[in-house]
Amino acid sequence: MNIIIAGGDGFCGWPTALYLSKQGHDVSIIDNMARRKWDVELHSNSITPIADLEDRVEKWKELTGREIRTYEGDLNHYDFLKQVLVKEKPDAFVHFAEQRSAPYSMIDREHAVFTQVNNVVGNLNVLYGIKEIVPDCHLIKLGTMGEYGTPNIPIEEGYIEIEHKGRKDTLPYPKQPGSFYHLSKVHDSHNIMFTCKVWGIRATDLNQGVVYGLETEETKMDPLLTNRLDYDGVFGTALNRFIIQSTIGHDLTVYGKGGQTRGFLNIRDTVRCIEIAAEHPADRGEFRVFNQFTEEFSVLDLANKVKKVAQEEGFNTDIAHLENPRVELEEHYFHAENTKLRELGLEPHLLTDEVIRDILKAVMNHKNRVIEENVLPGVSWK
Ligand SMILES: NC(=O)c1ccc[n+]([C@@H]2O[C@H](COP(=O)([O-])OP(=O)(O)OC[C@H]3O[C@@H](n4cnc5c(N)ncnc54)[C@H](O)[C@@H]3O)[C@@H](O)[C@H]2O)c1
């Protein structure tokens, strides 16, 4: 299958490109290197040193004989995107290429506007590109579980059956996103659903949970293939951030009470979920939604898990409850369905102490790269 990975230089996209290439797919990457520029803007870095994309793909070719073509450019530049689509004629377009940090989108007006333009316009261009150049191509779009918010009823996979005033219908599940970033994903979902209906686009919206982990079998093959790992208050996600905090002797920074519960998955499951979606394409005109996570944890559960393993490894780790910079419920009901990917063959890698220990040991080698002042949250929702 010819597969384009947009955002293929990023945390999820890079290991996915390698994994799909290893499975025998003909993979190419689109990326505008924006994520590396945001590190410069925020005076931050990946705790792991990451090679340039060209060096990464050259090493991959040397090790496996497999080529991954790269296109450096912005999805917001439609002429660039069209040229890539004409050249590649992809069967599947995996769309990771968005600004994905909720705090980044909440910094100020400029960052909110940038996030929504980058994400919504980029995605709209992808939809037009598919319609005009490769109408049969399957769009595999990364959404987020954060689109749903935390309703007081179970979260379904995309749709809910409703009975209202004696009539029944199956409708898109209500969305209650918690940041301008999460809102951009909801806007994307609406645009995709609409174009499936009016143009017959085939699309899978993967409402992904928070991804943790660092390496996959492929990224471990050589230091030049190492994945990025974020730990700062803007791009670092819970679990990865806690593990890194523990290695530098910092308290694990739980926001508020820590009862905020979310869906999580290992990066090894992210790459497999993309493969499953690609191998089972949506029908023409179908807007299919999968909830892509494997387990649910509260933030405090995660902090306690990391604290336990870190203490076993000899770290003097403690938990600090910070004033919550976000506006969100800190104690709430949360239960979400996630059966569809499992029914298609996903075998989850669950979060054991050994998984935490492995990530902790991997980051130990680079702990001297941590910029300590970046570890605390610097962006407030209010
Ligand atoms: N990491 C998570 O925990 C998580 C959870 C849920 C959903 N997601 C979604 O998965 C996707 C990938 O996340 P990630 O953690 O790999 O993010 P990332 O920032 O590491 O990677 C995104 C990549 O897209 C590129 N990009 C951004 N805008 C672009 C544009 N306009 N044109 C071309 N390239 C562009 C960036 O340079 C970067 O390399 C995102 O859409 C994100 O919303 C991630």
PDB file of all heavy atoms in Angstrom, residues 270-281:
ATOM      1  N   THR A 270      -0.035   2.701  19.291  1.00  0.00           N
ATOM      2  CA  THR A 270      -0.375   3.720  18.286  1.00  0.00           C
ATOM      3  C   THR A 270      -0.013   3.212  16.892  1.00  0.00           C
ATOM      4  O   THR A 270      -0.832   3.247  15.969  1.00  0.00           O
ATOM      5  CB  THR A 270       0.399   5.037  18.556  1.00  0.00           C
ATOM      6  OG1 THR A 270      -0.076   5.609  19.769  1.00  0.00           O
ATOM      7  CG2 THR A 270       0.208   6.043  17.435  1.00  0.00           C
ATOM      8  N   VAL A 271       1.214   2.715  16.727  1.00  0.00           N
ATOM      9  CA  VAL A 271       1.654   2.333  15.376  1.00  0.00           C
ATOM     10  C   VAL A 271       0.817   1.173  14.840  1.00  0.00           C
ATOM     11  O   VAL A 271       0.464   1.126  13.665  1.00  0.00           O
ATOM     12  CB  VAL A 271       3.178   2.014  15.323  1.00  0.00           C
ATOM     13  CG1 VAL A 271       3.985   3.190  15.834  1.00  0.00           C
ATOM     14  CG2 VAL A 271       3.557   0.752  16.087  1.00  0.00           C
ATOM     15  N   ARG A 272       0.458   0.246  15.727  1.00  0.00           N
ATOM     16  CA  ARG A 272      -0.350  -0.905  15.323  1.00  0.00           C
ATOM     17  C   ARG A 272      -1.785  -0.470  14.961  1.00  0.00           C
ATOM     18  O   ARG A 272      -2.367  -0.972  14.002  1.00  0.00           O
ATOM     19  CB  ARG A 272      -0.342  -1.931  16.461  1.00  0.00           C
ATOM     20  CG  ARG A 272      -1.261  -3.095  16.278  1.00  0.00           C
ATOM     21  CD  ARG A 272      -0.796  -4.082  15.215  1.00  0.00           C
ATOM     22  NE  ARG A 272      -1.758  -5.177  15.132  1.00  0.00           N
ATOM     23  CZ  ARG A 272      -2.373  -5.565  14.018  1.00  0.00           C
ATOM     24  NH1 ARG A 272      -2.089  -5.009  12.852  1.00  0.00           N
ATOM     25  NH2 ARG A 272      -3.247  -6.547  14.036  1.00  0.00           N
ATOM     26  N   CYS A 273      -2.323   0.486  15.729  1.00  0.00           N
ATOM     27  CA  CYS A 273      -3.689   0.976  15.426  1.00  0.00           C
ATOM     28  C   CYS A 273      -3.732   1.588  14.032  1.00  0.00           C
ATOM     29  O   CYS A 273      -4.720   1.424  13.301  1.00  0.00           O
ATOM     30  CB  CYS A 273      -4.134   2.013  16.449  1.00  0.00           C
ATOM     31  SG  CYS A 273      -4.490   1.322  18.067  1.00  0.00           S
ATOM     32  N   ILE A 274      -2.680   2.310  13.659  1.00  0.00           N
ATOM     33  CA  ILE A 274      -2.668   2.922  12.326  1.00  0.00           C
ATOM     34  C   ILE A 274      -2.641   1.820  11.259  1.00  0.00           C
ATOM     35  O   ILE A 274      -3.350   1.897  10.246  1.00  0.00           O
ATOM     36  CB  ILE A 274      -1.438   3.854  12.150  1.00  0.00           C
ATOM     37  CG1 ILE A 274      -1.407   4.933  13.233  1.00  0.00           C
ATOM     38  CG2 ILE A 274      -1.408   4.457  10.742  1.00  0.00           C
ATOM     39  CD1 ILE A 274      -2.541   5.914  13.229  1.00  0.00           C
ATOM     40  N   GLU A 275      -1.846   0.791  11.521  1.00  0.00           N
ATOM     41  CA  GLU A 275      -1.795  -0.328  10.565  1.00  0.00           C
ATOM     42  C   GLU A 275      -3.175  -0.986  10.431  1.00  0.00           C
ATOM     43  O   GLU A 275      -3.640  -1.263   9.321  1.00  0.00           O
ATOM     44  CB  GLU A 275      -0.773  -1.369  11.041  1.00  0.00           C
ATOM     45  CG  GLU A 275      -0.659  -2.549  10.105  1.00  0.00           C
ATOM     46  CD  GLU A 275       0.243  -3.660  10.657  1.00  0.00           C
ATOM     47  OE1 GLU A 275       0.298  -3.847  11.895  1.00  0.00           O
ATOM     48  OE2 GLU A 275       0.872  -4.345   9.835  1.00  0.00           O
ATOM     49  N   ILE A 276      -3.832  -1.195  11.575  1.00  0.00           N
ATOM     50  CA  ILE A 276      -5.167  -1.832  11.545  1.00  0.00           C
ATOM     51  C   ILE A 276      -6.141  -0.972  10.743  1.00  0.00           C
ATOM     52  O   ILE A 276      -6.883  -1.478   9.896  1.00  0.00           O
ATOM     53  CB  ILE A 276      -5.690  -2.041  12.990  1.00  0.00           C
ATOM     54  CG1 ILE A 276      -4.868  -3.136  13.675  1.00  0.00           C
ATOM     55  CG2 ILE A 276      -7.172  -2.394  12.991  1.00  0.00           C
ATOM     56  CD1 ILE A 276      -5.186  -3.307  15.158  1.00  0.00           C
ATOM     57  N   ALA A 277      -6.112   0.331  10.999  1.00  0.00           N
ATOM     58  CA  ALA A 277      -7.037   1.211  10.272  1.00  0.00           C
ATOM     59  C   ALA A 277      -6.744   1.148   8.773  1.00  0.00           C
ATOM     60  O   ALA A 277      -7.661   1.073   7.947  1.00  0.00           O
ATOM     61  CB  ALA A 277      -6.911   2.640  10.785  1.00  0.00           C
ATOM     62  N   ALA A 278      -5.443   1.151   8.413  1.00  0.00           N
ATOM     63  CA  ALA A 278      -5.080   1.146   6.986  1.00  0.00           C
ATOM     64  C   ALA A 278      -5.510  -0.158   6.317  1.00  0.00           C
ATOM     65  O   ALA A 278      -5.979  -0.164   5.176  1.00  0.00           O
ATOM     66  CB  ALA A 278      -3.575   1.352   6.837  1.00  0.00           C
ATOM     67  N   GLU A 279      -5.359  -1.255   7.043  1.00  0.00           N
ATOM     68  CA  GLU A 279      -5.681  -2.560   6.441  1.00  0.00           C
ATOM     69  C   GLU A 279      -7.180  -2.816   6.359  1.00  0.00           C
ATOM     70  O   GLU A 279      -7.608  -3.740   5.672  1.00  0.00           O
ATOM     71  CB  GLU A 279      -5.008  -3.678   7.252  1.00  0.00           C
ATOM     72  CG  GLU A 279      -3.510  -3.734   6.971  1.00  0.00           C
ATOM     73  CD  GLU A 279      -2.793  -4.764   7.834  1.00  0.00           C
ATOM     74  OE1 GLU A 279      -3.417  -5.271   8.796  1.00  0.00           O
ATOM     75  OE2 GLU A 279      -1.621  -5.027   7.537  1.00  0.00           O
ATOM     76  N   HIS A 280      -7.961  -2.040   7.101  1.00  0.00           N
ATOM     77  CA  HIS A 280      -9.429  -2.180   7.068  1.00  0.00           C
ATOM     78  C   HIS A 280     -10.025  -0.819   6.743  1.00  0.00           C
ATOM     79  O   HIS A 280     -10.589  -0.146   7.616  1.00  0.00           O
ATOM     80  CB  HIS A 280      -9.957  -2.660   8.424  1.00  0.00           C
ATOM     81  CG  HIS A 280      -9.373  -3.958   8.873  1.00  0.00           C
ATOM     82  ND1 HIS A 280      -8.183  -4.048   9.546  1.00  0.00           N
ATOM     83  CD2 HIS A 280      -9.812  -5.228   8.716  1.00  0.00           C
ATOM     84  CE1 HIS A 280      -7.913  -5.317   9.803  1.00  0.00           C
ATOM     85  NE2 HIS A 280      -8.882  -6.055   9.307  1.00  0.00           N
ATOM     86  N   PRO A 281      -9.891  -0.357   5.497  1.00  0.00           N
ATOM     87  CA  PRO A 281     -10.324   1.007   5.189  1.00  0.00           C
ATOM     88  C   PRO A 281     -11.824   1.218   5.386  1.00  0.00           C
ATOM     89  O   PRO A 281     -12.604   0.288   5.243  1.00  0.00           O
ATOM     90  CB  PRO A 281      -9.940   1.176   3.710  1.00  0.00           C
ATOM     91  CG  PRO A 281      -9.621  -0.171   3.191  1.00  0.00           C
ATOM     92  CD  PRO A 281      -9.330  -1.069   4.340  1.00  0.00           C
TER      93      PRO A 281
END
